[in-house]
Amino acid sequence: MRVYFDEQGRALPDRPHRPGPLPPFGAELAEHLPGWTVQAGPLNPGRDLAELRSQTWGWGRLPWDTVSAPHIALALTGPDGERLLTVKTGIDAPIVLGAAKPDDLPDYDPRAVQVPALVALPSDVPPATVAAEETSLGPHCLQAVWEARTSAATHAVEALRRLGSAYAPAPGSPWGRGEIGSFDSPEDRNRAAWPHFETLIDQGPYLVAGIRVAATIEDRLDPAVGPDLRRLYVTETALDRLRELRDGWRDAAACIIGPPPKLTRYGSARRTCATKRHGPPAPNSRTARSLR
């Protein structure tokens, strides 16, 4: 669950909203962007404007806040997954184009990512010109997302290598405890390593798919990179196995911890009624395997 705050740090109410109809400018812009999705952003003061602010990527200081809304805000999604924002802060204000932050963007080193700069156009520019700028900006946004995913995955691999050589004493052994770079137990080391595994699980499939798309016949025949490209299936198999382990652990944890507090009474009532009608439920095979 996301919680949004205003400029004074007060939590904004989570009110449901629906995307509004496309303004005439947005409808005409969509006609010049075949294959793209153009959607008007809700501009109600409060949560809607805070969410719009959170979607910007590399915009710097924004010319609107949670009270004063821009005149138009359009979210654009390209055929290759490009995500852009087109904002017009006032009737006669310039039209600003910029990158939108992907929902699953990982933590990355800002020095390794070059988010494309904002593009400002005159307020009276025709939609065809805006569409041309959007299609030109899209590939740069995809490159920035690739750089962010690569940065996060590289950091995760380097951290796992360091943790793999970190010392963790055997149970009951006093040697090495408290030393710099060591852990008090193998369990502590595993807990420190797990977030990096999750980064690889989440970002690895994107990187493998991107490599496959970008690889050419010449690359596959190149003796320097060809063997690595042909061994991508090994990486995919390892990622699938890690994902299975994570899903199994989440199933087991849900079985042990139970449902959220608000659903406990409702779930207990349903289980009681079901038991009276049909007898005890059969165990979930996937959960049972995970627990074993």
Side-chain angles (χ1 to χ4, degrees):
M1 183 181 70
R2 294 181 179 178
V3 179
Y4 296 91
F5 300 89
D6 64 10
E7 286 70 30
Q8 282 71 43
R10 296 172 298 206
L12 297 170
D14 186 8
R15 297 170 181 166
H17 62 263
R18 297 179 180 177
L22 275 178
F25 178 84
E28 190 172 351
L29 180 63
E31 295 178 357
H32 294 280
L33 289 170
W36 287 63
T37 300
V38 181
Q39 190 174 29
L43 299 177
N44 299 314
R47 179 184 181 277
D48 288 344
L49 297 182
E51 186 171 354
L52 180 63
R53 291 170 63 90
S54 70
Q55 292 174 3
T56 61
W57 190 25
W59 285 49
R61 186 173 181 179
L62 300 175
W64 75 88
D65 53 27
T66 57
V67 178
S68 302
H71 181 60
I72 295 175
L74 302 173
L76 296 93
T77 304
D80 296 322
E82 307 94 325
R83 294 192 59 186
L84 308 173
L85 285 175
T86 298
V87 178
K88 189 175 182 181
T89 56
I91 297 178
D92 298 324
I95 300 172
V96 182
L97 320 176
K101 186 181 299 181
D103 291 334
D104 54 352
L105 189 70
D107 293 332
Y108 61 89
D109 183 358
R111 298 169 296 180
V113 180
Q114 186 174 1
V115 181
L118 297 178
V119 176
L121 301 173
S123 60
D124 57 350
V125 68
T129 303
V130 179
E133 291 289 344
E134 298 280 10
T135 54
S136 175
L137 187 62
H140 297 288
C141 293
L142 290 178
Q143 179 65 26
V145 174
W146 173 264
E147 292 170 353
R149 297 192 193 283
T150 303
S151 171
T154 301
H155 174 73
V157 171
E158 293 174 350
L160 288 173
R161 285 176 177 170
R162 292 194 301 269
L163 291 169
S165 59
Y167 180 75
S173 173
W175 302 106
R177 295 183 184 275
E179 294 182 2
I180 297 177
S182 66
F183 292 85
D184 290 340
S185 68
E187 290 77 12
D188 288 343
R189 183 175 61 185
N190 293 342
R191 277 191 287 269
W194 183 246
H196 304 296
F197 277 114
E198 291 228 86
T199 298
L200 293 179
I201 293 171
D202 294 333
Q203 305 304 320
Y206 291 104
L207 298 178
V208 171
I211 293 171
R212 288 192 187 281
V213 171
T216 63
I217 298 297
E218 290 76 12
D219 293 330
R220 299 182 183 278
L221 298 177
D222 188 339
V225 298
D228 291 333
L229 290 175
R230 291 190 288 272
R231 284 196 295 268
L232 275 179
Y233 73 92
V234 177
T235 302
E236 289 179 309
T237 302
L239 291 172
D240 290 340
R241 179 55 179 158
L242 286 173
R243 192 175 300 107
E244 290 177 2
L245 292 172
R246 181 179 68 176
D247 294 344
W249 169 247
R250 286 179 176 176
D251 289 346
C255 182
I256 296 171
I257 298 173
K262 292 183 179 179
L263 301 180
T264 301
R265 178 181 297 180
Y266 175 72
S268 299
R270 290 193 60 185
R271 286 194 297 271
T272 301
C273 294
T275 302
K276 290 181 179 179
R277 290 197 305 266
H278 309 294
N284 182 281
S285 59
R286 184 176 182 183
T287 303
R289 288 196 303 270
S290 301
L291 290 173
R292 288 198 299 268

